[in-house]
Amino acid sequence: MPKDKKPPLGLESPTLSLPDKAPNQCSEQDQDPTRKRLLQSYLLKVDLHLLPISFMVYFFSVIDRNNIGNAKLAGMPEHLNLHGQQFNWIVSSFFFTYIFFEIPSNYCLRQLGARVWLPVITIAWSVLVACMACAKSYGALVAVRVLMGCFEAGYVPGFIYLCSFWYTRKQIAPRLALFFSAGMFAGIWAGPLAARLQKIKGGLEGYQYIFLIEAAITVGLALIMWVVLDNYPETARFLTAEERAAGLRMLSEDKTQSARAPFRPQQVLGALSDWTLWGYAVIFWASALGGATQAIFGPTLIAAMGYESTHAQVLSAIPSACGFVVQIASMFFPRIHSRYSPWIMVCSGLACAFYAVIASVESTKVRFAFLCLANAALSPNMPLVSMWMSMNVLGVTKKGVAAAVTVMFGGVSGLIGAHVYRERDYPRYRFGHIFVCACNALIFLVALALQLYFRWENRRRDKKAGDGVVVVDGSAMSENVIEETDDKRPDHRYTW
């Protein structure tokens, strides 16, 4: 192509070249008012079509997953004659399939598109939640929860993967924080909502109304999602041609892969061999374990402090509210300090200390207060590690695998977390508190290890570039080469 002509807007290929200016410098194109206006319009429209409905579906997915804990206080164990550790196994059975269906679900999303796949799995798990109201035995509840895990497994990694096609890596960060805050927001409303639903007078048990009504709401949201979602910017119905071109150009400049890049099954093993991917997953696992135990056993822990069941349902909203506020605030953490590992280390260190206090003191009021503080401290780490991963992982296949594996480990946390607060530890549940304390110590250590590695790797790449090892010829890389090199490409620098 002649030098005086440029490729069509939005169609440039990323180039294998080192930046010739500081990353925070703006080009003349970035300052162009027309382009700026188009990008603002692009982001506003994408946000309105993706975020509200995704937030609400995740809100109810967390409620649907954890309302088994509210059903326990509403009399389900007595009605179904559950005993011993049967309730714990009902809780954990969900995660037996949840942990294995993350990657297959992302592959199906890639093949069918988010507009079809996400509503389909949402309706499927909602129908199964309603089926829990009809279950008459321990075995039936386990079977339904196992099937629920198959479908709900795909929602969170599917949303993370979907965002990678619409936003730059920096733009994804605050949106992931907002998305994950829906989980804490669900914790605020789950207890009071369940307390109200279990009081409905009719021919069913109170816990059955919890399952049926919450499932019906989620089905309605799935239908709305099918109407408003689009798969990719290239095919978005709600964008003008100019907005689409400006958005695609922005994504190309960020080295974000386009929707045309294929998902490459042969590269899955290569992605799984990267130890840093497992580091993110371990942090997500340990963070999710604290959140899962709070969501499922929060009402039980509060009831064990001496509160009657309906009151405990309502009081369980307070620790969740503390977590929700801090999780929303975590959207702005990178603006205060642009590194992710220090924030994760601070939050995990505080959570570790707070759980140690809960496990060691006798006072009910002190334990409840530190339960609120612990929930606030552990809540930012899931969105923070997801942001961190989205900043560092490149390539369609690797990004999809990373999102799936990370959330898969979140499922493992639910499987284990269902058994750390044991009935034989009533009323103090000291073992569970110590276990979550140890998980937060592990987060601190893994975040430190990743930080040290990324800083070393960045210095190594800088040295190679300074020695002239990287050949910069200005030639465009093909999509195949971009996909094969992912974040190992020499012009990429890790955020630590």
Side-chain angles (χ1 to χ4, degrees):
M1 182 176 294
K3 291 184 178 180
D4 58 339
K5 292 187 179 181
K6 295 182 179 179
L9 189 63
L11 300 181
E12 301 96 321
S13 298
T15 57
L16 181 57
S17 60
L18 295 175
D20 56 2
K21 59 185 177 182
N24 59 350
Q25 283 184 294
C26 296
S27 66
E28 293 180 3
Q29 290 176 324
D30 295 330
Q31 296 172 347
D32 176 47
T34 301
R35 186 185 180 196
K36 184 177 180 181
R37 176 181 57 80
L38 288 171
L39 288 177
Q40 288 175 340
S41 179
Y42 167 88
L43 288 173
L44 177 62
K45 288 185 177 181
V46 172
D47 285 343
L48 290 176
H49 280 79
L50 263 66
L51 298 184
I53 188 60
S54 299
F55 181 96
M56 289 305 301
V57 172
Y58 185 49
F59 173 89
F60 273 96
S61 79
V62 173
I63 287 181
D64 292 341
R65 180 190 318 173
N66 297 325
N67 57 15
I68 191 78
N70 302 110
K72 178 185 179 184
L73 288 187
M76 184 186 71
E78 293 77 15
H79 184 73
L80 298 182
N81 195 29
L82 302 178
H83 54 83
Q85 291 292 105
Q86 285 186 332
F87 175 79
N88 298 76
W89 283 109
I90 291 170
V91 172
S92 63
S93 61
F94 171 90
F95 297 98
F96 286 125
T97 46
Y98 187 92
I99 62 178
F100 292 112
F101 280 78
E102 312 280 354
I103 295 177
S105 183
N106 259 9
Y107 182 76
C108 291
L109 181 147
R110 184 64 180 155
Q111 299 303 310
L112 300 177
R115 184 169 181 255
V116 172
W117 184 245
L118 293 183
V120 163
I121 63 176
T122 302
I123 291 173
W125 88 60
S126 303
V127 170
L128 290 165
V129 170
C131 289
M132 287 201 293
C134 307
K136 302 297 183 184
S137 65
Y138 164 70
L141 280 172
V142 168
V144 172
R145 293 275 294 178
V146 166
L147 290 174
M148 275 182 61
C150 296
F151 296 103
E152 197 165 335
Y155 187 71
V156 174
F159 175 79
I160 296 173
Y161 190 34
L162 177 65
C163 282
S164 68
F165 295 115
W166 294 88
Y167 300 108
T168 67
R169 289 168 294 158
K170 286 187 177 181
Q171 291 165 354
I172 287 175
R175 289 157 178 89
L176 284 182
L178 179 65
F179 175 78
F180 279 111
S181 71
M184 285 293 173
F185 194 57
I188 298 174
W189 292 98
L193 178 61
R196 181 67 185 88
L197 293 177
Q198 75 183 66
K199 292 180 179 179
I200 294 176
K201 303 300 182 182
L204 302 175
E205 296 293 322
Y207 77 88
Q208 292 175 309
Y209 286 110
I210 295 174
F211 290 137
L212 289 173
I213 293 176
E214 291 177 353
I217 295 172
T218 313
V219 169
L221 289 171
L223 297 177
I224 296 173
M225 175 178 278
W226 179 76
V227 172
V228 302
L229 272 192
D230 260 301
N231 294 325
Y232 310 110
E234 288 89 336
T235 58
R237 299 160 294 171
F238 56 84
L239 294 175
T240 66
E242 294 80 8
E243 291 165 346
R244 181 180 298 110
L248 290 173
R249 182 172 185 173
M250 172 188 70
L251 297 172
S252 176
E253 290 170 353
D254 189 61
K255 310 185 191 76
T256 303
Q257 287 288 290
S258 74
R260 297 185 300 273
F263 192 99
R264 300 174 182 275
Q266 69 270 24
Q267 286 188 243
V268 172
L269 291 178
L272 293 176
S273 66
D274 185 345
W275 77 271
T276 63
L277 184 151
W278 298 100
Y280 301 127
V282 169
I283 294 175
F284 195 93
W285 166 79
S287 303
L289 189 139
T293 54
Q294 285 273 355
I296 297 171
F297 294 103
T300 300
L301 296 175
I302 295 171
M305 295 177 185
Y307 301 97
E308 59 95 16
S309 63
T310 305
H311 195 195
Q313 298 267 37
V314 175
L315 283 177
S316 67
I318 298 177
S320 295
C322 295
F324 175 73
V325 170
V326 179
Q327 199 165 72
I328 286 292
S330 71
M331 294 170 58
F332 304 99
F333 285 1
R335 295 189 179 185
I336 300 171
H337 183 68
S338 60
R339 306 302 184 183
Y340 289 88
S341 55
W343 288 114
I344 292 173
M345 292 162 67
V346 168
C347 292
S348 59
L350 288 173
C352 182
F354 294 152
Y355 272 104
V357 172
I358 299 171
S360 58
V361 301
E362 297 288 338
S363 170
T364 297
K365 291 182 179 179
V366 173
R367 285 159 54 201
F368 182 76
F370 274 86
L371 191 66
C372 296
L373 291 173
N375 215 24
L378 63 83
S379 63
N381 280 339
M382 283 177 62
L384 283 173
V385 73
S386 299
M387 296 180 213
W388 195 14
M389 180 187 70
S390 71
M391 291 291 291
N392 283 339
V393 177
L394 302 182
V396 167
T397 301
K398 189 169 186 178
K399 194 177 286 287
V401 171
V405 169
T406 301
V407 182
M408 180 181 73
F409 266 56
V412 175
S413 73
L415 182 62
I416 298 172
H419 297 278
V420 301
Y421 287 103
R422 307 168 298 188
E423 284 299 316
R424 65 174 178 267
D425 297 324
Y426 176 90
R428 293 292 305 281
Y429 295 104
R430 183 177 281 111
F431 173 81
H433 296 316
I434 293 174
F435 191 93
V436 180
C437 175
C439 286
N440 280 279
L442 178 63
I443 293 172
F444 184 96
L445 294 174
V446 175
L448 177 61
L450 286 171
Q451 178 195 125
L452 295 175
Y453 170 74
F454 289 145
R455 295 175 73 173
W456 172 83
E457 178 63 18
N458 285 348
R459 287 194 298 268
R460 187 184 70 83
R461 293 184 186 184
D462 288 340
K463 185 176 183 301
K464 280 192 173 183
D467 292 342
V469 176
V470 180
V471 178
V472 183
D473 58 8
S475 61
M477 296 173 65
S478 69
E479 283 189 348
N480 289 346
V481 175
I482 296 171
E483 178 68 6
E484 289 167 5
T485 55
D486 50 67
D487 45 87
K488 297 298 189 294
R489 51 188 293 174
D491 61 335
H492 176 63
R493 297 296 180 269
Y494 291 107
T495 298
W496 53 265

